[in-house]
Amino acid sequence: MKFLKSKNENSKWAWLTLLLVGIISLGVISCSEDEDNNLTPDGGVEAESGYLQVYQVRTPSGVVMYANIGESFPDKIDLSNSIELGSNIGVVASGDNFFVINTNAQTISKWEIDKSTFEANVTGVLSYASLGLTGFVPIAFIDDSKAVLAGFFDGVIAEFNSETMEITETRQIQPLMPGSSNGVSASITSNGIGLENGKVMYSFQHVVEGNCCDFPFDEPTPFMAIYDPSSGSVEYISDERLPIGGLFSTSDANGNWYMSPNYYLEVNRHYFGLDDRYAKYYTIRVDPNGNIDPSFECELSSAITIDYGGQINAVLGNEILVNYQDIDTWPSAYSDRWNWWGNPDFTNNTVIDMTTNATKPFTAFDDYSLGSFYITTIDGDNYFVATTLPEGADVSNQQGDLLRQVSFDEFVLVTEGAPSFNVQNVAKLW
């Protein structure tokens, strides 16, 4: 296996075990113990473990997703033993099963796996077409049989039984805003995070693209919503420090969540002439019950220069690891605003002390020109997807590898991608 080691040899602390519940297409992860001496009903011997790996493959006709199930992760992307799931879909793992959300068909398919052969079959399909939901709809699992479909842009939240695959509750809520309107793209940036009080927390961000240079927002947009299944109520939360939202990507050892800022802040500020709210990249802290910590505030851009990004990938004590881009000069023409994308000289990973603003270099991901981001934790090990553009390749041919953390500055290459082939998400099923 290939090891990636940071050149920052003075970094002695290890990352905490992160608890991310999905970011953008993978959700709840759990495992179950073997029973009946590992014998299946047909007499086969169960594998001791089962792992799910989701691939994203770029083709001339669009992006196609695949699922690979095995006793371990493969060394390289393996489409020959994978299931083609289709385009415009999301995958969520829960217990021993995984669920596929097909946005085009507006269905959710439940896939069960034979633990001796790893054969996967659809055992239930739920159609949510009658709910009037549009775009990608995330799933959050409240328990082993209860799950939530959140249609914030359409004003509908539904609960369904993941064992019987039947909708059990439908509720009308105040819609956030249209998912796409007049050059504005709004997206849900977390699948849904289960809180200690039984509620579910979501994050949002808004992006203005393709409609330069008339900015549509005068007030901060909601960056967070909290759904209470017991009452059916939804609370939208806004904050001046996060004027167009962000994403939950990291929690600490105490179960507090940290909101990464909206990647597009500086892009929008530069081309739309916005005020200082859009020039500062903040993070806030939210406790395990979804309450904003009023005593905590950290402006990332006071320690580093962020032109794009700002995702917080790890928290340990007062220190955080931040991935971001710092470009030389913004192109004068709005149509050229992405001509710097993919240049490895602009991608950075830096450790910031949130108390002192002191920074430390982090170089373990320097071989990946598009950076790396945390996706999940399995058995105490943190996993990242690291992406790069092979030399001379078009941006659509980016390659995404799966990395496992060994220590703060050392990583193992687990699964190697290929141009146009990316490891997208992973989960341990049992």
Side-chain angles (χ1 to χ4, degrees):
M1 285 186 170
K2 179 181 178 182
F3 282 79
L4 306 173
K5 193 167 184 179
S6 172
K7 302 183 183 69
N8 180 19
E9 299 295 343
N10 294 323
S11 299
K12 299 299 183 184
W13 49 274
W15 281 342
L16 82 143
T17 299
L18 304 179
L19 302 173
L20 180 64
V21 184
I23 186 133
I24 306 307
S25 62
L26 193 66
V28 180
I29 297 171
S30 63
C31 56
S32 61
E33 296 181 358
D34 294 331
E35 299 177 353
D36 301 328
N37 297 318
N38 292 339
L39 291 179
T40 62
D42 61 3
V45 178
E46 290 185 0
E48 292 185 1
S49 56
Y51 291 85
L52 169 71
Q53 194 166 85
V54 180
Y55 304 142
Q56 180 189 76
V57 180
R58 295 177 182 270
T59 70
S61 58
V63 175
V64 180
M65 305 295 284
Y66 290 80
N68 180 285
I69 304 106
E71 196 165 6
S72 61
F73 293 131
D75 294 334
K76 295 184 178 181
I77 280 185
D78 181 10
L79 295 187
S80 64
N81 293 313
S82 299
I83 304 165
E84 183 176 341
L85 300 175
S87 301
N88 207 18
I89 61 99
V91 180
V92 183
S94 179
D96 297 346
N97 311 309
F98 68 94
F99 296 77
V100 175
I101 309 105
N102 187 317
T103 303
N104 295 330
Q106 295 193 310
T107 60
I108 301 169
S109 302
K110 179 180 180 179
W111 291 72
E112 294 188 9
I113 296 98
D114 185 305
K115 292 186 178 182
S116 60
T117 65
F118 294 107
E119 181 181 352
N121 292 290
V122 176
T123 59
V125 178
L126 181 153
S127 172
Y128 61 88
S130 62
L131 300 179
L133 302 180
T134 57
F136 178 71
V137 181
I139 297 176
F141 285 87
I142 298 175
D143 55 37
D144 290 341
S145 62
K146 187 176 183 179
V148 177
L149 282 172
F152 289 105
F153 305 123
D154 304 297
V156 178
I157 280 187
E159 297 178 10
F160 72 93
N161 186 309
S162 58
E163 293 181 350
T164 64
M165 296 300 285
E166 295 176 328
I167 294 175
T168 56
E169 190 81 42
T170 303
R171 290 167 167 148
Q172 302 297 314
I173 61 170
Q174 178 67 35
L176 179 69
M177 65 160 280
S180 180
S181 176
N182 296 325
V184 178
S185 174
S187 59
I188 300 175
T189 54
S190 64
N191 266 340
I193 298 167
L195 302 174
E196 289 185 357
N197 56 13
K199 300 178 182 180
V200 185
M201 180 172 66
Y202 301 83
S203 59
F204 309 96
Q205 70 176 11
H206 296 77
V207 174
V208 181
E209 277 280 82
N211 193 30
C212 185
C213 293
D214 183 18
F215 199 73
F217 303 119
D218 295 323
E219 300 294 332
T221 64
F223 74 90
M224 181 168 74
I226 295 180
Y227 172 61
D228 184 352
S230 64
S231 65
S233 63
V234 170
E235 179 186 9
Y236 291 115
I237 300 169
S238 303
D239 194 293
E240 282 278 345
R241 294 166 295 180
L242 299 163
I244 48 178
L247 67 154
F248 286 115
S249 56
T250 313
S251 66
D252 63 21
N254 297 316
N256 298 307
W257 286 88
Y258 292 77
M259 168 72 77
S260 297
N262 188 320
Y263 293 170
Y264 286 77
L265 277 175
E266 184 62 19
V267 182
N268 287 167
R269 189 199 69 82
H270 182 83
Y271 292 104
F272 291 84
L274 302 174
D275 60 37
D276 286 346
R277 286 183 301 169
Y278 301 88
K280 297 178 181 179
Y281 284 72
Y282 283 97
T283 181
I284 63 172
R285 183 164 63 200
V286 179
D287 73 18
N289 286 315
N291 302 307
I292 297 173
D293 184 347
S295 67
F296 176 87
E297 179 177 292
C298 176
E299 183 197 341
L300 306 178
S301 47
S302 65
I304 55 178
T305 300
I306 305 176
D307 288 318
Y308 182 78
Q311 178 164 319
I312 303 167
N313 278 326
V315 181
L316 182 64
N318 291 325
E319 293 186 301
I320 55 177
L321 173 65
V322 182
N323 174 261
Y324 62 101
Q325 279 75 32
D326 176 12
I327 70 175
D328 290 336
T329 305
W330 281 104
S332 57
Y334 183 69
S335 58
D336 294 331
R337 63 195 179 282
W338 297 115
N339 68 3
W340 53 269
W341 183 254
N343 187 328
D345 294 337
F346 299 149
T347 297
N348 300 276
N349 290 277
T350 298
V351 176
I352 301 174
D353 187 306
M354 294 182 289
T355 303
T356 66
N357 270 357
T359 63
K360 293 189 292 190
F362 181 90
T363 58
F365 300 149
D366 278 6
D367 289 340
Y368 294 93
S369 60
L370 299 181
S372 180
F373 56 90
Y374 163 85
I375 54 169
T376 195
T377 297
I378 299 175
D379 294 338
D381 290 331
N382 298 327
Y383 286 80
F384 286 71
V385 170
T387 57
T388 191
L389 279 181
E391 187 174 354
D394 180 80
V395 67
S396 63
N397 292 322
Q398 60 187 265
Q399 173 176 325
D401 298 344
L402 178 67
L403 308 180
R404 177 173 57 84
Q405 169 216 340
V406 177
S407 66
F408 179 73
D409 55 3
E410 190 173 340
F411 297 81
V412 174
L413 174 62
V414 178
T415 302
E416 183 180 356
S420 299
F421 292 70
N422 296 269
V423 177
Q424 188 75 7
N425 280 299
V426 297
K428 184 176 182 180
L429 301 174
W430 72 87

